[in-house]
Amino acid sequence: MTKIFYLMVVLLTVFVSSSYAKDEHIQSVPLTTQEANFLSAHPVVRVANEMDWPPFDFNEFGNPKGFCIDYIKLLASKAGFEIEFVNDYSWSELLSLFREKQIDIIPVLYKNKGREPYTLFTTPYYKGKLGIFTSTNSKNIPNVTDLLGKQVGIQTDHGSISAIRKQIPGIKLIEHDNTSDLVTLLATGKLDAIIGNPLLFYYTARENQIINIQLRSYIHPDMADKSTTEMHVGVRKDWPLLHQILQKTIATVSTEEMEVLKSNWIGNNSRTQAQDTVLLTEAERSFLASHPVIRVQNEDDYPPYDFSESGNPMGFSIDYLKLIGQKTGLNFSFTNGYTWTQILENIQDKKLDVIHTCLDTKERKAYASFTESYIQSTYALIVPSDSNIVSIDGLSGKRLAVLKGTKHIEYISKLNIPIEFIEYDTTREVLRSVLFDECDAAYESLQMAGYTIKEEGLIGLDFRPVEMLETGSGDWRIGVRKDWPELLSIINKGMAAISKSEMSRIKSKWFGLSGKNTITIDLTQEEQEFILRHPLLKVSNEMDYPPYDFAIGKQPQGYSIDLLDMLAERIGISVSYVNGYSWSQLQSMFNRGELDLLHSLNQTPERKTKGLFSEPYHFYRNHWVVGRNAPEINDIEQLYGKTV
């Protein structure tokens, strides 16, 4: 994980987490004694989760998401069993695990004869379509029969393959595990067409900034193969009781509930303020009426997640909670002026109702219930630019700065490396201790460190990314006081109602480092982490290449300079221009790694061995210029023997 330009959808959603499915069912399903005994013997059911099949079934930051995921969660809540998602496998591998009974349910499965020997299919719950996509400049595939002889891509083990071959005999299908690969190969001309669900391909194209593919036509299977485009829940063949339970449960899903799920993931792009609500149960509505104000912490100095300026709450997590409030009707009141230790004491004493930007440790679970992770923080060592420390192993005998009140010392101490820990109250103090040689390194979140470095102008620090010291140690969650399960349920629904575009917007706002850009672009998690590790780029600036790249005094000027400044602002990165050198000297500096970017240059085979090139941003033509009295030159061959 990590993708951009997300599908904007109408956000009316039902979200039921399997972790509390037994505490509150939306609508209980009457079970026979035999069925109840089965669930008692199998309280946790293993469910497949694809990594890359949006908007139906995918995974983001380790969290299963999508229309079909929410549908199976709804069924689990009604029937009364918990879910353990199985992911990090390709679609073919998930099918193999299902055949081997290491997975109990596949939440979205096309029905075909090849799967019947090992699968019990529920009644279909959604009618899909098979679309044929080509690139926008393709003119030779106007209909289905024109696919013959073409390179046609499809997902590996797609349930409709046999039906497609039956309808288009002789078609050559090239299978790929990854949906993103299919869309990219089509966009780059490596495939002539791809076949699959149109919503899937449009969604994937938006995430990958691909705009040159289009829906050309549909494949309409005959009645015998109609089920190959319908979505079923697949149950392992030796568990007919579970299949029976799911069939009963599917019958209880109301039209309203189904429309809510569809509007969340498959709806159109129109959105209004009035539609930004979630469907609440009677118990949840009663809770809202009885608790008009929910008290939430606001730290003074934990940017970019949670901090205050002149007493005003600010940060990514603050904006995230406000979105939840907007969608659920929760009224959050933010309280600041307390240390993290005091904040934890306050929720234990019920002086606070909600905490956020926190880990779900064993100790905290005694007094708070936690949501799924809503954002992941990546950690790194922050060292002076000239430091030779590249990993935690290199800290032996060194002084390490850490933020007071965090779990960093506890986690790092388990490595049994002799380190002197020095605690500071704020991230600003942690970073300055490294910059001014009070400490040899700091251990901190890339997002927090990158934001503070940018805001404080702390040049001279570098990043050394490290692996997570503890599983889940970078997963920020929302914690709710233990005696208010209704509040946890409402917040979970609010989280599910936040669209990808809304999430991208607040990520761009706070993880673009400055947080002040009026125009930003969406970045993947990897791209954000790269910028946080490299907050300042050294860029060439020629002295005399107008109008593209030149300097007046030492001030960079020109078309390319203005373009780079605009890009830097939108990406959220700082640029330091290096001038006073000739063009050949600047190229040598780039080759030695002393410059990060060269610009205003042509791509040549030799230069491609030294660096990576962007797409062209300007086109021009070369001319020859002669003196007024020079003979006329109409062809390049006339330059032979001349001084040029």
Side-chain angles (χ1 to χ4, degrees):
M1 116 162 50
T2 269
K3 309 285 179 76
I4 48 186
F5 287 127
Y6 301 111
L7 186 67
M8 298 180 69
V9 292
V10 181
L11 289 165
L12 297 168
T13 185
V14 173
F15 176 82
V16 184
S17 171
S18 60
S19 62
Y20 61 93
K22 291 193 174 182
D23 297 328
E24 180 184 3
H25 300 161
I26 294 174
Q27 179 182 343
S28 60
V29 177
L31 302 178
T32 66
T33 302
Q34 196 177 16
E35 291 166 346
N37 289 341
F38 177 87
L39 289 186
S40 295
H42 305 91
V44 179
V45 176
R46 299 165 298 182
V47 176
N49 169 221
E50 292 191 66
M51 302 302 291
D52 185 34
W53 216 65
F56 301 104
D57 181 11
F58 62 108
N59 192 287
E60 186 176 71
F61 301 127
N63 297 320
K65 291 191 172 185
F67 168 72
C68 301
I69 294 298
D70 282 359
Y71 184 73
I72 197 66
K73 285 180 177 179
L74 177 64
L75 298 183
S77 172
K78 287 172 173 285
F81 61 84
E82 294 187 22
I83 290 173
E84 175 189 334
F85 285 106
V86 179
N87 42 43
D88 279 332
Y89 296 96
S90 69
W91 174 240
S92 298
E93 290 169 335
L94 287 173
L95 280 177
S96 295
L97 290 171
F98 182 62
R99 282 195 295 267
E100 295 162 4
K101 300 181 177 60
Q102 296 181 44
I103 288 176
D104 308 315
I105 285 177
I106 294 185
V108 51
L109 196 62
Y110 293 148
K111 185 177 181 180
N112 60 34
K113 291 182 179 179
R115 293 169 179 172
E116 288 179 353
Y118 56 89
T119 309
L120 296 171
F121 292 91
T122 67
T123 53
Y125 60 92
Y126 181 75
K127 293 182 179 180
K129 288 183 177 293
L130 281 178
I132 302 169
F133 278 72
T134 70
S135 67
T136 52
N137 60 2
S138 175
K139 303 186 187 304
N140 57 355
I141 306 181
N143 53 57
V144 170
T145 55
D146 292 310
L147 293 173
L148 291 172
K150 300 293 191 296
Q151 300 281 100
V152 182
I154 195 167
Q155 187 180 22
T156 304
D157 287 330
H158 196 278
S160 64
I161 288 177
S162 59
I164 293 170
R165 286 184 170 143
K166 179 179 176 181
Q167 186 169 341
I168 315 172
I171 189 172
K172 180 179 181 181
L173 294 176
I174 302 169
E175 298 182 42
H176 288 270
D177 275 332
N178 191 290
T179 304
S180 296
D181 288 347
L182 283 172
V183 172
T184 302
L185 290 169
L186 177 63
T188 55
K190 309 269 191 321
L191 289 172
D192 299 309
I194 56 177
I195 296 176
N197 187 286
L199 285 173
L200 168 68
F201 289 150
Y202 276 130
Y203 197 104
T204 304
R206 286 189 182 97
E207 288 185 330
N208 287 279
Q209 295 188 9
I210 290 171
I211 59 174
N212 66 327
I213 71 169
Q214 65 177 342
L215 177 64
R216 181 70 69 173
S217 181
Y218 289 98
I219 291 178
H220 301 286
D222 59 31
M223 291 304 295
D225 295 315
K226 185 180 177 183
S227 62
T228 61
T229 61
E230 295 174 337
M231 295 182 183
H232 307 251
V233 177
V235 183
R236 50 188 281 186
K237 191 85 169 184
D238 61 332
W239 278 12
L241 281 173
L242 180 58
H243 176 261
Q244 190 173 302
I245 292 167
L246 286 174
Q247 284 288 83
K248 277 187 178 181
T249 310
I250 288 172
T252 71
V253 177
S254 68
T255 302
E256 181 186 31
E257 288 171 323
M258 202 62 180
E259 287 306 311
V260 166
L261 292 182
K262 286 181 181 178
S263 66
N264 182 39
W265 293 105
I266 311 172
N268 59 38
N269 290 339
S270 64
R271 293 173 49 81
T272 66
Q273 192 73 14
Q275 290 171 322
D276 275 350
T277 57
V278 297
L279 187 66
L280 300 180
T281 65
E282 184 176 345
E284 291 164 348
R285 290 195 296 271
S286 176
F287 177 89
L288 274 181
S290 304
H291 302 88
V293 177
I294 304 298
R295 300 165 299 177
V296 185
Q297 111 265 0
N298 169 223
E299 295 187 66
D300 290 327
D301 189 31
Y302 202 69
Y305 297 104
D306 181 22
F307 62 106
S308 64
E309 287 186 1
S310 303
N312 296 317
M314 302 187 74
F316 171 83
S317 294
I318 299 297
D319 283 357
Y320 187 77
L321 281 163
K322 287 179 178 178
L323 267 178
I324 292 174
Q326 174 187 320
K327 295 174 185 301
T328 60
L330 289 168
N331 179 21
F332 293 117
S333 173
F334 296 98
T335 304
N336 48 40
Y338 295 95
T339 65
W340 181 243
T341 302
Q342 291 171 325
I343 287 167
L344 293 178
E345 291 172 352
N346 285 341
I347 194 167
Q348 291 179 69
D349 297 337
K350 298 182 174 57
K351 296 177 182 177
L352 281 175
D353 308 315
V354 169
I355 56 175
H356 57 87
T357 321
C358 58
L359 306 178
D360 59 341
T361 64
K362 183 178 179 181
E363 299 86 353
R364 294 170 189 172
K365 284 181 177 178
Y367 52 82
S369 301
F370 289 88
T371 65
E372 294 296 318
S373 168
Y374 61 92
I375 190 73
Q376 286 185 321
S377 185
T378 307
Y379 283 86
L381 294 176
I382 297 95
V383 298
S385 297
D386 59 354
S387 173
N388 59 4
I389 297 174
V390 296
S391 67
I392 289 181
D393 292 336
L395 294 174
S396 180
K398 307 290 187 182
R399 300 159 298 171
L400 182 66
V402 296
L403 192 62
K404 190 179 294 182
T406 62
K407 292 283 184 179
H408 300 340
I409 295 177
E410 176 186 329
Y411 293 153
I412 296 172
S413 295
K414 293 178 181 179
L415 301 176
N416 296 318
I417 299 172
I419 297 172
E420 180 185 354
F421 295 100
I422 301 177
E423 295 183 89
Y424 294 89
D425 288 324
T426 67
T427 303
R428 186 182 297 105
E429 292 172 333
V430 166
L431 297 174
R432 284 179 174 174
S433 73
V434 178
L435 193 61
F436 300 129
D437 295 327
E438 295 173 14
C439 292
D440 300 293
Y443 181 77
E444 190 48 87
S445 155
L446 274 173
Q447 289 81 0
M448 288 183 61
Y451 186 92
T452 305
I453 286 172
K454 176 80 179 208
E455 292 296 300
E456 298 290 318
L458 302 178
I459 305 302
L461 297 175
D462 208 350
F463 295 85
R464 306 285 190 266
V466 297
E467 293 183 5
M468 289 295 178
L469 299 176
E470 293 278 324
T471 301
S473 61
D475 294 340
W476 294 144
R477 302 171 190 268
I478 298 170
V480 178
R481 49 188 283 184
K482 198 84 169 179
D483 59 333
W484 281 4
E486 298 88 355
L487 178 56
L488 178 67
S489 173
I490 295 169
I491 289 175
N492 274 328
K493 290 180 178 181
M495 288 172 63
I498 293 176
S499 70
K500 288 178 174 290
S501 59
E502 289 172 315
M503 196 67 166
S504 289
R505 188 176 68 245
I506 58 174
K507 281 181 179 179
S508 295
K509 176 181 177 181
W510 293 107
F511 302 144
L513 300 185
S514 73
K516 297 181 175 65
N517 298 337
T518 55
I519 302 175
T520 59
I521 61 170
D522 295 335
L523 301 176
T524 66
Q525 184 76 13
E526 281 185 320
E527 290 164 348
Q528 291 172 22
E529 290 168 5
F530 176 86
I531 288 176
L532 291 168
R533 293 194 300 271
H534 306 88
L536 183 69
L537 295 183
K538 292 170 287 185
V539 181
S540 64
N541 172 218
E542 293 186 69
M543 300 301 292
D544 188 30
Y545 194 66
Y548 303 107
D549 182 22
F550 61 105
I552 298 177
K554 285 284 187 178
Q555 184 63 38
Q557 304 280 338
Y559 171 85
S560 297
I561 298 297
D562 286 353
L563 177 67
L564 283 167
D565 286 343
M566 181 177 68
L567 292 175
E569 180 183 0
R570 295 187 180 189
I571 294 169
I573 203 164
S574 293
V575 173
S576 172
Y577 291 104
V578 178
N579 52 34
Y581 299 92
S582 68
W583 174 238
S584 60
Q585 289 173 320
L586 289 170
Q587 290 184 85
S588 297
M589 293 168 69
F590 178 78
N591 294 340
R592 293 194 298 268
E594 296 169 11
L595 290 175
D596 304 312
L597 289 179
L598 286 178
H599 57 89
S600 307
L601 78 165
N602 308 119
Q603 180 176 287
T604 68
E606 181 184 359
R607 288 174 180 171
K608 286 175 70 174
T609 66
K610 307 293 184 181
L612 302 171
F613 283 81
S614 73
E615 293 298 313
Y617 62 87
H618 180 70
F619 295 89
Y620 67 92
R621 292 188 178 190
N622 279 321
H623 301 258
W624 51 77
V625 182
V626 300
R628 290 183 183 275
N629 299 321
E632 185 175 347
I633 297 176
N634 297 311
D635 189 276
I636 196 167
E637 291 183 356
Q638 292 178 263
L639 295 175
Y640 289 164
K642 302 289 192 296
T643 301
V644 181

